[in-house]
Every structure is written in C-alpha cells, then in structure tokens.
Amino acid sequence: MNRKGTYRTILNLKRISRPGLRIYSNYQRIPRILGGMGIVILSTSRGIMTDREARLERIGGEILCYIWGSDVVFIRILPGDRVKIENVRGRVVSWSSAGTCGFRGTRRGTPFAAQTAAGNAIRTVVDQGMQRAEVMIKGPGLGRDAALRAIRRSGILLSFVRDVTPMPHNGCRPPKKD
C-alpha cells in the first residue's frame, strides 16, 4: 500500500495491433478508454508511452493495446428516474433518463421506465469496454431495484452491490409545537 491508497490490479488487456493489422493514430485521435479510466499503450518514434504522455508531447503512433481495471461504478437513481453512472473520480461516464427513453407524464415514474433508462445507460458503458464493475446504488425511488435488474442482465460481472444512500442518524430538529 502506498500513501495514496492501494494499487489497482490490471484485469483487462486488449491487444489492438497485430502482425498484418497495424492501427496508427495521431495524438488528437487517440481513443479514450472508459472516459479516461483506462490506458492506451502506443509505440511512437520516441519509444513506448501511454496515451496521456503522447497527448502531452503531441505525438502519435501505433496503438499496441488497451488496459483497464475493474471499475467502481456509482449508480445514482435521481427523481424522474434519471440514471447516472459515475466513476470513482465523480465524472459521469454515462447517463439516461426516462424522458430520453420516450416516457411522458405519469409513466415516467414507473419501475419499467427506470429499467429502460438504466439499460440505455449501461449499454453505452458496455460498448466502451467495461466488463466488471462494483456497483454502489445511491438515491431513493422505485427504480432502484429495476435498475439493478437491468445491470445484471447487461452481462457485466458484478463483484459486489452496496447501497450507499445517506441515512440521517437523528435528522433535523422538528418545528416547535404550540
């Protein structure tokens, strides 16, 4: 363990360039893995470097592989059955809502609308390459269980599920009674 916390282990490595199939990219078009949570390894004219180093030096090269680890995902169920998927740093990786899925009026507050919204949000994250996740659900509402069912059906391996909704120990002081 170092001062900043524990070391994360590499769980996933995807080889990109192969003999007979070389993928090259300039520094502006280097792909971002999971919204910047993963690393792209490049072979450049100045040696092998990560995507961040290549962007800082403004140099492109051959994309060798993508590396990413298990992602801790915060799933927030907000009023109106909005679903936000955030990474550890608090950046929104993906989001969806019942309104963007086509639900209007009273149908927006149903568990089915939350399940559809969670399915849409998860689909974009799966397309980016996420395979494993640690899920922390936060927020009130009917859509929490339905959203969790949609996540389980998506094919992502869940290492654990935790409810981190803040609960008051004693709450605010009640108003004075006359």
Side-chain angles (χ1 to χ4, degrees):
M1 190 164 161
N2 61 1
R3 284 186 217 157
K4 294 183 181 177
T6 59
Y7 288 106
R8 301 289 305 262
T9 57
I10 297 171
L11 293 176
N12 301 299
L13 186 137
K14 183 177 180 184
R15 185 175 174 189
I16 303 301
S17 288
R18 297 178 177 90
L21 178 67
R22 304 287 185 199
I23 309 291
Y24 294 94
S25 176
N26 63 0
Y27 75 94
Q28 296 168 334
R29 297 187 189 268
I30 298 172
R32 292 191 182 272
I33 308 301
L34 289 175
M37 290 294 291
I39 300 170
V40 178
I41 304 294
L42 296 155
S43 174
T44 65
S45 60
R46 296 184 192 159
I48 294 178
M49 56 180 63
T50 64
D51 55 341
R52 187 172 182 201
E53 294 168 346
R55 283 191 193 97
L56 288 174
E57 294 193 23
R58 296 185 175 210
I59 187 168
E62 179 185 354
I63 299 176
L64 298 177
C65 64
Y66 300 152
I67 300 172
W68 67 96
S70 174
D71 298 302
V72 177
V73 176
F74 289 92
I75 297 175
R76 291 199 180 172
I77 311 296
L78 300 167
D81 283 334
R82 292 178 304 193
V83 179
K84 281 196 330 187
I85 300 174
E86 301 174 347
N87 60 17
V88 180
R89 298 174 187 163
R91 295 180 184 162
V92 176
V93 178
S94 175
W95 70 275
S96 182
S97 70
T100 58
C101 295
F103 293 97
R104 294 283 176 247
T106 57
R107 293 183 62 205
R108 273 190 4 196
T110 61
F112 178 71
Q115 185 175 353
T116 309
N120 285 351
I122 287 290
R123 195 174 307 121
T124 59
V125 175
V126 170
D127 290 344
Q128 290 177 1
M130 182 185 290
Q131 294 176 345
R132 299 180 186 184
E134 300 170 359
V135 178
M136 298 190 187
I137 295 181
K138 183 175 185 178
L142 297 170
R144 294 162 38 123
D145 299 329
L148 187 58
R149 279 194 296 269
I151 293 165
R152 291 209 172 168
R153 279 194 212 127
S154 68
I156 294 177
L157 299 172
L158 300 180
S159 50
F160 71 85
V161 177
R162 184 180 296 163
D163 184 14
V164 291
T165 304
M167 298 295 283
H169 291 286
N170 200 8
C172 298
R173 183 173 177 156
K176 182 175 69 171
K177 306 260 180 179
D178 287 334

